[in-house]
Amino acid sequence: MVRRTKEDALATRHSLLDAAERVFSEKGVSRSSLNDIAVAAGTTRGAIYWHFKDKADLFNAMMERVTLPMEEALEQMGREPGRDPLEDMRQSAVDVLRKMVNDPVVQRVFEVASYKVEYVGDALPIKQRHLEARNGCLAEMTRSLQAAADLHRCALPMTAAMAAQGLHAIVDGLIQNWLLSPHEFDVVSTGQQAIDTFLAGLGFPRPAPQAQAI
């Protein structure tokens, strides 16, 4: 009975997160109420407060369901003995773009985060989680770039932290521009070439031709 109750609670949580994705996508975060989300999930506001403190907590949980696997992948870049951190970083960046294109849930959540949230009122705490995720990503990119520079004996023309800012801006900018008009360009192919060109500009070797295949 207890196990069934836990399963039911988990199912309700997932249902609320699914509903939040839909409602935030349709109305935007600031114009969506917890009651809207409860109705969309076929439950009550009380169920929301059982699982989440407020709208910001619900939004962050919705984001983390999609982004945590990506953040965990970033944390593993270059940590496995014998692996090249440069190739791990290339692959991780392109995988984010590919997942966004191929997974409708990821695409919808990224769109909400990019264009349908205002850091005001009850959504203001969302900004802090956004900054934490960005800073964590930059820290892992900085670590991997420095490790790759050491491995390849590459004298970076800027600090690893500055290079990480540039690489992050490329990936983030591609995502935001693609979300505005998904059929306008191939974000995976464009992203792969842009990332390789940027890394080559830092002095890193380009990947072998077969490694560039989409």
Side-chain angles (χ1 to χ4, degrees), residues 141-154:
M141 283 184 168
T142 299
R143 176 188 60 77
S144 289
L145 281 166
Q146 189 58 62
D150 294 342
L151 178 66
H152 291 275
R153 298 181 181 180
C154 173

Side-chain angles (χ1 to χ4, degrees), residues 34-107:
L34 291 179
N35 189 62
D36 292 332
I37 294 168
V39 170
T43 186
T44 65
R45 281 170 57 102
I48 294 180
Y49 286 119
W50 177 263
H51 292 278
F52 309 101
K53 292 188 299 183
D54 49 30
K55 184 160 69 173
D57 190 34
L58 173 59
F59 178 92
N60 287 335
M62 179 198 75
M63 287 295 303
E64 288 172 356
R65 189 166 63 160
V66 166
T67 59
L68 277 180
M70 299 178 190
E71 292 172 16
E72 290 169 358
L74 280 172
E75 291 174 2
Q76 295 305 311
M77 287 190 309
R79 294 188 186 276
E80 185 178 333
R83 289 189 61 85
D84 185 345
L86 181 65
E87 293 308 314
D88 280 355
M89 187 164 44
R90 275 195 179 108
Q91 191 61 52
S92 293
V94 174
D95 282 350
V96 169
L97 299 176
R98 186 177 288 112
K99 190 169 184 62
M100 181 187 62
V101 171
N102 296 329
D103 190 328
V105 171
V106 172
Q107 186 179 140

